[in-house]
Amino acid sequence: MTLLKPKLSPEVAEALASGGPVVALESTIITHGMPYPANLETALGVEAVVRENGAIPATIAVIDGELRVGLEHHELETLAQARDVVKASGRDLAVAMVRGQTAGTTVSATMLLADLAGIDIFATGGVGGVHRGAEQTFDISADLTELGRTKTAVVCAGVKSILDIAKTLEYLETQRVPVIAFGTDDFPAFFTRQSGFKADHRLDTAEEIAHAMHLHHQLGTGTGLLIANPIPEQAALTPDFIDGTIADAVREAEERGIGRKQLTPFLLARINELSKGESLRANIALVRNNAALAAQMAVAYAALKRG
Ligand code: PSU
Ligand code: MN
């Protein structure tokens, strides 16, 4: 069967046709991850950071049922203000298309669409993972299974301790996904530079990571790679401050019976409220930091692909 081609913006189409560096960006962070107007400012700021580092940004979403790679300013604005918009993981895309819906794409859906578009590298804040209590609920994000079957390299700041970080790392190992920490031995925990767990691998330059990506794909592994980039020191929160807030949010979700695809958006919003915006500030800083690394990787990877 021929695979679908998402609709590329002219700029993204041109960059891909000439083998230039492109970085995919997700849109659930806009629709379900941050409040307005911080979500819009962040989306625009992240695109600018990608450009400053020599690559073309390609924000991915479903707009009125159409799969889109590379959005116009007014489309980002619409997504940022949309209410009751769909949160689409990879499995939700076909129905969103049939129903003509507008959807923010999660890491899993964004990886899938980036791969269909021919984009190798994707920057985000945090990926989904194995939730705390998953031994009862079975709540494991489709982001992890997507990483096990789609070749996109995802740059994140580790995972939040709203998740069970140890189980998330175990699951990535089972899925054959290399976890590479950038410039550190520790696997970072999103708001903090250390999670208490070591990353499997450490590389210290964007060029080395691009080289590892190239070899990983030449080995025919068929899986993605997870690059964990710790939050910049000056933006990091202290565990004392954020851990209690996260625990409170998780407890509240349990008490209110919030689960399934509402759980992650609820926790993100609640942590933002409880931390009086501190978590949002950290979130914005780390996404920008990830966009810069992803763009540098894309520049190096484009050169390797040209040979
Ligand atoms: N974690 C964050 N910020 C986010 C998300 C997760 O710190 O915005 C979003 C991403 O789009 C991710 C999705 O792919 O939530 C995972 O949702 P779930 O846990 O329902 O699979
Ligand atoms: Mn889930």
Side-chain angles (χ1 to χ4, degrees):
M1 191 181 296
T2 44
L3 294 173
L4 281 177
K5 264 278 176 211
K7 184 171 176 218
L8 311 181
S9 70
E11 186 189 29
V12 170
E14 195 186 309
L16 289 173
S18 64
V22 178
V23 173
L25 301 165
E26 62 146 312
S27 48
T28 293
I29 189 170
I30 304 172
T31 57
H32 293 76
M34 288 184 185
Y36 182 82
N39 57 353
L40 178 62
E41 286 158 17
T42 304
L44 294 169
V46 164
E47 290 203 347
V49 170
V50 170
R51 289 183 201 283
E52 282 156 24
N53 285 275
I56 300 295
T59 301
I60 294 182
V62 185
I63 309 277
D64 299 330
E66 193 172 37
L67 306 176
R68 298 284 305 278
V69 176
L71 300 180
E72 303 295 331
H73 188 289
H74 73 271
E75 293 168 327
L76 288 172
E77 178 98 44
T78 303
L79 275 180
Q81 298 204 56
R83 300 197 181 274
D84 300 323
V85 69
V86 177
K87 170 185 164 189
S89 71
R91 68 174 193 153
D92 303 311
L93 291 171
V95 171
M97 291 171 76
V98 169
R99 297 190 58 186
Q101 288 169 329
T102 292
T105 51
T106 66
V107 170
S108 102
T110 306
M111 287 178 72
L112 184 71
L113 295 176
D115 192 46
L116 287 173
I119 302 173
D120 304 299
I121 296 171
F122 161 25
T124 186
V127 293
V130 180
H131 278 272
R132 296 190 195 175
E135 57 275 29
Q136 254 87 46
T137 61
F138 273 43
D139 191 345
I140 300 172
S141 175
D143 294 352
L144 300 186
T145 42
E146 197 71 51
L147 278 160
R149 67 171 294 280
T150 300
K151 293 191 305 199
T152 319
V154 180
V155 181
C156 69
V159 300
K160 289 198 176 76
S161 59
I162 59 172
L163 301 170
D164 186 322
I165 297 177
K167 287 194 181 68
T168 300
L169 292 172
E170 286 293 347
Y171 202 86
L172 287 164
E173 182 176 342
T174 304
Q175 292 288 318
R176 305 169 300 119
V177 178
V179 176
I180 301 170
F182 177 60
T184 173
D185 296 316
D186 295 290
F187 185 72
F190 199 87
F191 297 123
T192 56
R193 291 173 61 87
Q194 297 178 341
S195 63
F197 299 94
K198 295 287 168 204
D200 301 303
H201 306 292
R202 166 184 181 152
L203 291 174
D204 291 316
T205 66
E207 290 72 23
E208 280 180 318
I209 300 173
H211 193 191
M213 271 179 70
H214 199 237
L215 292 169
H216 185 71
H217 298 323
Q218 284 180 320
L219 287 164
T221 52
T223 78
L225 302 93
L226 192 68
I227 316 306
N229 186 25
I231 182 171
E233 196 98 55
Q234 66 279 12
L237 304 181
T238 61
D240 282 352
F241 172 76
I242 199 67
D243 287 353
T245 302
I246 289 174
D248 289 345
V250 169
R251 193 173 327 107
E252 198 175 317
E254 257 170 43
E255 282 163 10
R256 293 174 56 176
I258 292 163
R260 305 206 62 195
K261 68 196 285 183
Q262 283 83 34
L263 179 58
T264 298
F266 172 84
L267 292 173
L268 300 179
R270 205 61 194 113
I271 290 166
N272 181 35
E273 287 163 11
L274 292 172
S275 74
K276 305 207 168 29
E278 284 294 314
S279 72
L280 182 60
R281 265 189 291 283
N283 199 343
I284 293 167
L286 66 84
V287 181
R288 294 172 65 97
N289 189 47
N290 295 344
L293 176 59
Q296 291 156 18
M297 284 165 50
V299 169
Y301 193 66
L304 281 173
K305 275 175 72 171
R306 278 195 296 271

